Amino acid sequence: MMRAVCTTMAACLLAHATWCFVGPSTSPLLNKAPSSAGSGSIISPASDASGQTPSLSAWNPLAFGVALGLLAAVAAGSRPVLAADLENGEAIFNGNCTACHAGGNNSVNAEKKIKKPELEKYLTGGYNVAAIKTQVTNGKNSMPAFGDKLGPDDIDDVANWVYNQADKWD
């Protein structure tokens, strides 16, 4: 979620910066020519058949196009957040949890595996990501707490990975 907010903020900042640094489509001097200037003056606008002078545009199409292009590049160029989180969750699990929970088992208490049926039965709060995050953060019984060892994003990633993996373990 935080990555999406940062990406959106970056896109807005780029759009605003583009808006500020791309010049207007017509020069403001053209509309402010002195009344004493003759028709041959350099700063006097050329008159057309209707006698109207060009006006400044409320928005610049070039700036809009650049901002839209940058937004599309940012949105299309990044990896899906969920896939990266699950990959990180698997790495966190393999580095911290496999000593006791290899293959979804529990080497300390064989009855309390981290497979879906056991999580539904034994996990306080039921089989959901929030309950897994609570268990990982605070620990319980013989399971140590990882709240001081892992960051909140890593705990979220490993909880999502365990939730998605729990029904795949045999």
Side-chain angles (χ1 to χ4, degrees):
M1 179 66 173
M2 189 64 174
R3 292 178 188 147
V5 170
C6 290
T7 303
T8 304
M9 288 178 55
C12 290
L13 181 63
L14 286 172
H16 182 69
T18 303
W19 185 269
C20 291
F21 291 109
V22 176
S25 56
T26 60
S27 172
L29 290 177
L30 292 177
N31 291 332
K32 295 181 181 178
S35 59
S36 63
S39 63
S41 173
I42 294 175
I43 60 171
S44 175
S47 60
D48 58 2
S50 65
Q52 296 176 348
T53 59
S55 64
L56 291 176
S57 178
W59 60 278
N60 191 319
L62 179 61
F64 182 72
V66 169
L68 191 60
L70 288 172
L71 181 62
V74 168
S78 64
R79 293 188 312 176
V81 174
L82 182 60
D85 289 345
L86 292 180
E87 289 173 6
N88 184 47
E90 182 177 16
I92 297 295
F93 183 87
N94 289 334
N96 295 281
C97 310
T98 54
C100 298
H101 295 292
N105 295 310
N106 188 331
S107 63
V108 178
N109 186 346
E111 185 178 291
K112 295 184 178 180
K113 300 173 184 173
I114 58 171
K115 298 177 182 178
K116 185 176 178 180
E118 287 81 3
L119 288 175
E120 289 172 337
K121 183 176 181 181
Y122 295 111
L123 185 62
T124 303
Y127 174 64
N128 60 66
V129 174
I132 297 170
K133 284 171 53 175
T134 301
Q135 180 83 14
V136 172
T137 303
N138 302 325
K140 186 175 178 184
N141 299 327
S142 57
M143 180 174 166
F146 285 89
D148 294 335
K149 184 177 180 184
L150 300 174
D153 289 341
D154 289 337
I155 291 173
D156 187 52
D157 293 347
V158 76
N160 278 294
W161 187 80
V162 168
Y163 180 81
N164 287 315
Q165 187 67 29
D167 60 347
K168 297 174 184 159
W169 277 312
D170 291 330

